[in-house]
Amino acid sequence: MSAYEQLMGFTHTTQALGEVAGRLGWDQEAIMPVGAAPQRAEEMAAMESVLHARRIDPKVGEWLAAIDEAQLDEVGRAQVRHIRKSFERTSKVPADLAAEIAKMTSRAQGIWAQARSDENVAGFLPTLEEVVNLKRQEGQALAAGGDVYDAMVDDYEPEMTAAEIAAMFDAMRPRLVALRAAVLAAEAPQKLSGQFASVKQMALTAKLAASFGYDFDHGRIDCVTHPFCSGSGKDVRITTRTSESDPFNCFYSTIHEVGHAAYEQGIDDAYLLTPLGRGVSMGVHESQSRIYENQMGRGRAYTGWLFEQMKAEFGDFGIADAEAFYGTVNRVNDGYIRTEADEVQYNLHIMLRFDLERALMLGDLAVGDLEAAWNDRFNADFGYAVDKPSNGVLQDVHWSVGLFGYFPTYSLGNVYAGCLNEAMRAAVPDLDAQLAQGDTSGGTGWLRENLQRHGGLRKPADTIVHATGKAPSGAPLLDYLEAKFGDIYKL
């Protein structure tokens, strides 16, 4: 057996164990009893210790050294590239630190959830301080004297730097701010009102997931506090949440997570339980959830179909017709919650988090000052004060579980989605006619063929270039937003 074959066999088992660890995380969020949290923290730490040991096993280094990459095809070289990077990065992090981070973040997640429920920032900050200190140690080990935050971003968007992200945000901000101001000064579409039973929302949300191609034979939908997607290959699970006064929260959270799930379910079976069998980056992953949710799911054509589905499920709910419903779905509202933000304002939420977490990791912002910094920045960006911690610094799960460097990939995903939408529309000119019938297959099929099935074969930027023929740029997204909301708000 060649060194490459031995390496891939070993990696296959490591990937499978990683999926088991992921399933523990899904269980913790979706159905685990609250009292199991301390034991689950120990279980997660034990799994992380096993995985860390496998990822830095000296045999991996020996196999990598013995492989002649010139003898491998494109797939083989890509597999080795991923394994080498994981081996080199993981080897820089002490095993005891990796286990402590896994244990601490598992425990912190429950503490965050309770603090969020209690509106008690003080009850969470000491725990967050521990998480920040541990993640800073990890970042320092990975950066080896370089930028700590860059090392963290690289975990989620390989080869992207904080400076590049900041430059992109600086270029986007003026047009976003100008569009927001123009929209909020114009007459707004009708707002949805009324009560919508959760059980009916869940019945319709399953239909929406199916309309976007979610494979229920290899997945399921559960309700949680913070929606997410978990798994890969043959077991990809999604979650959503309901609010009886806001069914759009449920519907579009679901479609968003289906976009993530479709990426994982659409990857070539030949890559199952290998490094190529996952989405290549969080930014590319987010591009799939965003293009499903926004460019297709919130478009005039699909909302026309959704309007009829809602009438069938809920009866008359106070919106006159499909055109008015399209405006209601895309209404730009004042609000606090990132996951509920409209397309115009969403990236402003990300920019806030990017600046704050970067300052935390670089030591420029103390954890004890985080709430005040958040509230000040939010007031400056959105023009009104945060009313309670669950609408402010406690709203997101990410920092409790140590996902520093993750937030900017949401905006990168929006940028990539803008590029993909431009190419998809050119390739599928009758897409809106299909979407008006609730048929998304023209768009989802194009995405599966041109992006999803390739998994981690190419680097993130190259993945977008392969699908669109162009380098990623923020211009298509901004052009799309200005055209769409200029039309809705008659600017």
Side-chain angles (χ1 to χ4, degrees):
M1 188 180 293
S2 70
Y4 177 75
E5 290 170 328
Q6 293 179 76
L7 176 64
M8 291 308 298
F10 185 87
T11 300
H12 185 278
T13 300
T14 304
Q15 294 285 132
L17 289 170
E19 291 297 315
V20 173
R23 207 81 67 245
L24 287 175
W26 168 85
D27 176 83
Q28 179 171 327
E29 280 286 289
I31 61 175
M32 186 189 80
V34 174
Q39 179 175 317
R40 180 54 49 87
E42 297 290 343
E43 293 166 357
M44 294 290 279
M47 284 297 298
E48 182 57 33
S49 293
V50 171
L51 287 165
H52 189 273
R54 292 185 67 85
R55 289 168 181 153
I56 63 170
D57 192 305
K59 292 195 298 290
V60 174
E62 293 168 7
W63 287 323
L64 287 168
I67 292 171
D68 180 1
E69 293 189 43
Q71 301 300 311
L72 301 177
D73 60 10
E74 180 186 24
V75 170
R77 291 193 298 273
Q79 299 279 23
V80 169
R81 182 179 73 245
H82 283 284
I83 296 168
R84 188 183 304 281
K85 179 172 183 177
S86 174
F87 176 73
E88 292 176 350
R89 284 179 66 81
T90 309
S91 296
K92 294 176 181 178
V93 180
D96 58 347
L97 176 59
E100 183 60 25
I101 289 172
K103 182 177 180 179
M104 186 66 226
T105 53
S106 178
R107 186 169 71 86
Q109 188 172 4
I111 295 171
W112 161 79
Q114 188 62 53
R116 183 179 184 274
S117 176
D118 296 341
E119 303 291 352
N120 180 17
V121 177
F124 176 58
L125 290 185
T127 300
L128 180 60
E129 180 101 53
E130 293 184 61
V131 173
V132 167
N133 287 337
L134 288 169
K135 291 298 293 185
R136 192 180 288 141
Q137 291 177 50
E138 180 187 52
Q140 290 167 346
L142 291 170
D147 187 292
V148 170
Y149 190 70
D150 280 355
M152 294 178 173
V153 170
D154 192 68
D155 269 338
Y156 307 108
E157 198 67 17
E159 302 186 12
M160 181 63 69
T161 67
E164 291 175 281
I165 294 167
M168 176 185 293
F169 286 177
D170 287 346
M172 293 171 64
R173 193 190 303 267
R175 287 175 68 177
L176 288 173
V177 170
L179 178 59
R180 178 178 180 272
V183 164
L184 292 178
E187 183 179 353
Q190 181 180 348
K191 189 173 184 178
L192 186 68
S193 62
Q195 293 294 303
F196 302 82
S198 292
V199 66
K200 290 188 175 184
Q201 288 184 43
M202 290 304 295
L204 182 50
T205 209
K207 189 172 185 178
L208 300 183
S211 79
F212 276 93
Y214 183 58
D215 182 356
F216 282 94
D217 287 340
H218 298 96
R220 55 181 287 139
I221 302 177
D222 293 274
C223 284
V224 297
T225 301
H226 190 104
F228 66 97
C229 172
S230 175
S232 69
K234 302 301 183 184
D235 189 348
V236 185
R237 309 179 188 192
I238 63 173
T239 61
T240 191
R241 61 185 172 198
T242 63
S243 165
E244 296 208 342
S245 63
D246 182 14
F248 293 158
N249 190 321
C250 178
F251 299 155
Y252 285 100
S253 290
T254 300
I255 294 172
H256 179 99
E257 299 307 334
V258 167
H260 284 302
Y263 191 2
E264 295 295 336
Q265 290 184 335
I267 296 173
D268 193 320
D269 285 349
Y271 301 156
L272 187 66
L273 295 179
T274 77
L276 302 194
R278 301 301 300 263
V280 68
S281 75
M282 291 297 99
V284 176
H285 233 302
E286 191 68 8
S287 76
Q288 301 308 283
S289 62
R290 284 295 168 186
I291 199 170
Y292 276 52
E293 176 190 357
N294 293 329
Q295 281 89 344
M296 288 193 284
R298 294 185 193 270
R300 179 179 272 112
Y302 188 82
T303 58
W305 178 79
L306 176 57
F307 176 65
E308 297 300 328
Q309 305 309 306
M310 283 193 66
K311 284 201 302 181
E313 192 67 56
F314 299 106
D316 181 6
F317 56 93
I319 305 296
D321 53 36
E323 184 63 19
F325 182 74
Y326 171 57
T328 298
V329 167
N330 289 286
R331 192 177 193 273
V332 176
N333 300 299
D334 285 344
Y336 303 99
I337 306 299
R338 172 187 62 84
T339 57
E340 298 170 9
D342 53 77
E343 293 179 80
V344 171
Q345 300 182 93
Y346 185 87
N347 292 301
L348 296 174
H349 288 272
I350 298 303
M351 292 171 187
L352 178 155
R353 289 156 174 77
F354 166 70
D355 287 340
L356 292 182
E357 72 173 18
R358 189 181 183 194
L360 280 174
M361 285 300 112
L362 297 179
D364 297 332
L365 174 64
V367 171
D369 296 329
L370 178 60
E371 183 182 21
W374 177 295
N375 292 347
D376 289 346
R377 172 64 179 271
F378 187 90
N379 202 355
D381 284 358
F382 293 90
Y384 47 95
V386 173
D387 61 345
K388 56 185 179 180
S390 62
N391 281 338
V393 72
L394 291 182
Q395 71 175 266
D396 293 301
V397 71
H398 299 60
W399 291 339
S400 72
V401 294
L403 298 180
F404 294 92
Y406 193 128
F407 274 125
T409 67
Y410 288 122
S411 282
L412 289 174
N414 284 329
V415 168
Y416 295 159
C419 299
L420 291 164
N421 182 58
E422 181 181 64
M424 179 179 68
R425 296 282 174 173
V428 191
D430 62 340
L431 178 58
D432 278 340
Q434 298 174 34
L435 292 172
Q437 304 301 314
D439 177 8
T440 69
S441 60
T444 58
W446 185 88
L447 289 165
R448 178 166 292 200
E449 175 61 27
N450 290 280
L451 188 148
Q452 293 170 1
R453 72 180 181 88
H454 302 292
L457 182 63
R458 300 177 179 88
K459 295 178 181 180
D462 293 339
T463 296
I464 302 303
V465 171
H466 174 81
T468 67
K470 298 179 181 178
S473 163
L477 173 66
L478 294 169
D479 291 346
Y480 153 80
L481 291 174
E482 290 169 349
K484 176 177 180 176
F485 288 91
D487 172 38
I488 293 171
Y489 279 82
K490 300 177 175 57
L491 301 181

